[in-house]
Amino acid sequence: MGCHEVYVVLAQGSGSEVRMRPGDLVGRLRSADLRIDDPRVSEAHAYVSLREGALRLLALRGGLAVDGRLLREVSLTQGQRILLAKGPPPVELTVRDVVHPQVMLALRGGGFDDEVLTGRCLSILGPAPLSLVEGYRPTAHAVLWTNGEGWMIRLGDEAPRTLVTGLVLPVANAQVEVVEVALRKAHTT
């Protein structure tokens, strides 16, 4: 079973490509997932979001334009060109590829209602109802991450294991099941 990841490959004018997932940031900040060092690009210009089963680029402090139309949100499609700043030279992104699996892994139970796994690293915090937050938290009941081939989980001090559909995990006195949900049901931002 694959990673069940949804992502977009964006290319800058220089031709360099970056694989971006929901929650990834485009901007001038050093910490941006796609860093564009140009004064016309905002520190936090836009970010990638998964909404209603579609990958979108959402404008934050900057503008986005497609085919001359200024937009706050762009549904990403292969071959699309997105203008971040007018030229010369223009600052533009090209969508090289968009990957949408049919299903994605999600968590059910313990307060989770088919919580879709997206991002790179997630932590499960408690007590019940449990919550899923981005990033590594040392005090988490469980930590989840992708390794490019699938999702992994470490419960407390246990050895990491691969997440598979049907796996039931004891997390902070709750039972959490790994399930698959159709991408169109994904309710992430």
Side-chain angles (χ1 to χ4, degrees):
M1 173 185 295
C3 204
H4 290 30
E5 274 190 288
V6 57
Y7 63 89
V8 59
V9 177
L10 295 176
Q12 299 182 70
S14 64
S16 62
E17 294 184 353
V18 177
R19 180 170 153 170
M20 300 189 70
R21 297 168 187 87
D24 283 355
L25 180 69
V26 175
R28 205 172 62 227
L29 289 174
R30 180 170 294 191
S31 60
D33 301 280
L34 175 54
R35 184 171 184 228
I36 302 173
D37 194 9
D38 187 294
R40 298 169 291 164
V41 173
S42 297
E43 296 92 346
H45 200 90
Y47 78 101
V48 177
S49 179
L50 176 62
R51 295 194 174 186
E52 299 171 2
L55 270 179
R56 302 174 193 271
L57 189 63
L58 306 179
L60 293 173
R61 291 188 219 150
L64 306 171
V66 175
D67 297 328
R69 292 181 33 227
L70 190 59
L71 303 167
R72 298 295 307 157
E73 180 175 317
V74 176
S75 186
L76 300 170
T77 58
Q78 188 173 11
Q80 186 176 48
R81 296 173 72 132
I82 303 165
L83 183 68
L84 301 180
K86 294 180 181 178
V91 178
E92 189 173 70
L93 300 176
T94 301
V95 179
R96 295 278 192 235
D97 196 11
V98 179
V99 175
H100 289 101
Q102 294 297 313
V103 294
M104 292 184 72
L105 291 181
L107 302 178
R108 179 181 292 161
F112 298 126
D113 181 26
D114 295 345
E115 185 74 34
V116 176
L117 301 179
T118 63
R120 294 188 190 115
C121 180
L122 303 165
S123 293
I124 298 177
L125 305 177
L130 300 174
S131 62
L132 191 65
V133 297
E134 287 281 335
Y136 174 81
R137 306 288 172 94
T139 59
H141 295 289
V143 178
L144 304 98
W145 66 94
T146 60
N147 62 10
E149 296 176 9
W151 279 91
M152 302 295 293
I153 187 167
R154 185 178 62 232
L155 295 167
D157 295 331
E158 293 180 11
R161 57 180 143 165
T162 302
L163 286 184
V164 294
T165 304
L167 180 65
V168 177
L169 303 160
V171 181
N173 299 321
Q175 297 294 312
V176 176
E177 182 181 5
V178 179
V179 297
E180 288 185 342
V181 296
L183 183 60
R184 70 181 182 284
K185 286 182 62 178
H187 54 276
T188 60
T189 57

